[in-house]
Amino acid sequence: MTPTVEELIGSVLQVDHAAFERARERHAGLAKPPGSLGRLEDLGARLAAISGRCPPPVPSSPAVVVAAADHGVHAQGVSDWPQEVTAAMVATAASGGAAVNAIARTVGARVVVVDVGTLRLGPVPDGVRDERVRSATRDLAVEPAMTLEECRTAIRAGARVAAELIDGGTDLLVTGEVGIGNTTASAALFAAFTGADPSDVTGKGANLDHGRTPLKVEVVRTALARHATDAAAGAQGPLATLASLGGLEHAALVGVMLAGAAARIPVVIDGVVTGAAALAAVALCPDLAGYLVAGHTSAEPGGRTLPDRVGEPALLDLRLRLGEGTGALLAVPLVQAAARVLTEMATLADVTKDAG
């Protein structure tokens, strides 16, 4: 049986700070000038803290969970694209033809596509995990996007998928997503959880230019005002904020992150959409932050907010804004290298002994 949201949160322990310090000490004794591997040393120490072991295990079986959903806010005219594109991209990723598949093959990662809320009318494509909670969220500018129960169900669905992957040997989780309209919902989550002005966290997303961006900003402002009224009436707390302003894919990815942290394995965050999910997850479970690795800095404005929340800058900045988990996958070799350095490098003592 899948744990409740509260049980998932309760299963996440603080990262092991003693293991972090042991990794720092080990780096100081390796055959290299102290600090010469820069942020790779910081990442290795974080991996030790996550696993509770020094040296940390080298991740060898990464998997990217691509959560797919549609958004009722599409009715506000925030996207150049029809919502049918979501289903088309889900089918493409499931068949191996999307950017996420090409990059996953490059780094040796498994791709798991999970439909938690698309508007799909036909049968589930081969290769897609059907965990649909409902067909798209409601229009967040008008009413809460999800009920609390729908949000909980999506979180548990993501946790269930991640737990099954972990039971099958996955030792590094990567977060990805697909969904037309999801950058608008993400901007609303960034603004709600950070207090940022909507104009500072809202970008063009998948639109061809910034022609719709002012409209997106105003839609986010409207949603925040509506949510504030709901909160004043009693719909308070991080879960209520996620349900009110987020998407079903955001909620599912919260579950993926919680399950990964509960198993003490690293979770690599992708761009602005998965970053918004990470903000919600950390608000629900502050100890989760220590398990999250910011894979890359999205070119979307809100993407520069996440590293502040997890306490570490992103590993890459390639000006990506595709989503799907592409930027996070590109960071996988860095995570592996950081662990391998601590595991396989000779120490100064070894070198001097051999020299003698």
Side-chain angles (χ1 to χ4, degrees):
M1 179 180 294
T2 307
T4 66
V5 173
E6 287 72 23
E7 288 169 340
L8 285 166
I9 293 170
S11 67
V12 176
L13 304 177
Q14 280 192 348
V15 294
D16 189 334
H17 297 291
F20 180 93
E21 293 303 326
R22 290 197 300 274
R24 284 289 198 192
E25 293 170 5
R26 182 172 177 82
H27 261 301
L30 294 179
K32 59 178 176 60
S36 57
L37 286 177
R39 288 177 51 208
L40 204 65
E41 297 186 17
D42 299 332
L43 178 57
R46 291 193 67 211
L47 295 175
I50 288 169
S51 65
R53 293 165 50 187
C54 180
V58 179
S60 61
S61 185
V64 55
V65 178
V66 182
D70 282 304
H71 295 259
V73 73
H74 186 273
Q76 298 292 329
V78 295
S79 177
D80 292 342
W81 303 95
Q83 289 187 299
E84 290 79 9
V85 170
T86 301
M89 286 307 302
V90 167
T92 301
S95 67
V100 64
N101 305 103
I103 296 175
R105 286 189 288 268
T106 301
V107 302
R110 178 181 176 185
V111 178
V112 180
V113 183
V114 184
D115 184 345
V116 285
T118 70
L119 285 168
R120 172 179 42 81
L121 300 177
V124 182
D126 291 342
V128 175
R129 170 89 173 242
D130 189 0
E131 293 280 354
R132 277 203 301 174
V133 177
R134 55 174 287 120
S135 295
T137 53
R138 300 167 185 83
D139 184 351
L140 59 83
V142 177
E143 60 184 320
M146 297 171 274
T147 66
L148 284 174
E149 187 54 36
E150 289 166 347
C151 187
R152 289 176 180 275
T153 300
I155 291 173
R156 296 179 72 197
R160 184 163 52 247
V161 171
E164 290 175 10
L165 285 170
I166 294 165
D167 288 344
T170 293
D171 53 9
L172 177 64
L173 285 168
V174 179
T175 56
E177 42 63 41
V178 172
I180 296 299
N182 60 13
T183 58
T184 300
S186 297
L189 289 174
F190 272 112
F193 283 117
T194 69
D197 188 88
S199 63
D200 293 331
V201 291
T202 306
K204 68 179 181 179
N207 293 331
L208 300 177
D209 55 37
H210 281 289
R212 294 182 191 264
T213 303
L215 171 62
K216 290 176 69 174
V217 171
E218 289 311 308
V219 167
V220 172
R221 291 194 194 282
T222 299
L224 292 171
R226 190 268 309 152
H227 173 62
T229 300
D230 292 347
Q236 299 178 4
L239 190 67
T241 299
L242 175 60
S244 178
L245 300 171
L248 290 156
E249 77 273 51
H250 291 114
L253 291 171
V254 168
V256 170
M257 295 172 204
L258 288 170
R264 300 196 75 97
I265 68 172
V267 182
V268 186
I269 307 303
D270 190 45
V272 69
V273 178
T274 65
L279 290 186
V282 171
L284 282 167
C285 179
D287 287 337
L288 177 64
Y291 293 87
L292 304 181
V293 177
H296 80 112
T297 299
S298 172
E300 283 286 293
R304 300 185 180 273
T305 305
L306 175 64
D308 295 337
R309 295 288 158 155
V310 299
E312 291 289 334
L315 297 178
L316 299 169
D317 187 354
L318 300 175
R319 305 303 295 161
L320 305 181
R321 57 182 185 86
L322 175 60
E324 300 180 11
T326 50
L329 282 169
L330 288 168
V332 165
L334 294 177
V335 176
Q336 294 169 322
R340 198 173 292 280
V341 163
L342 278 169
T343 302
E344 299 181 4
M345 270 192 73
T347 65
L348 285 168
D350 294 332
V351 172
T352 55
K353 178 182 67 177
D354 292 342

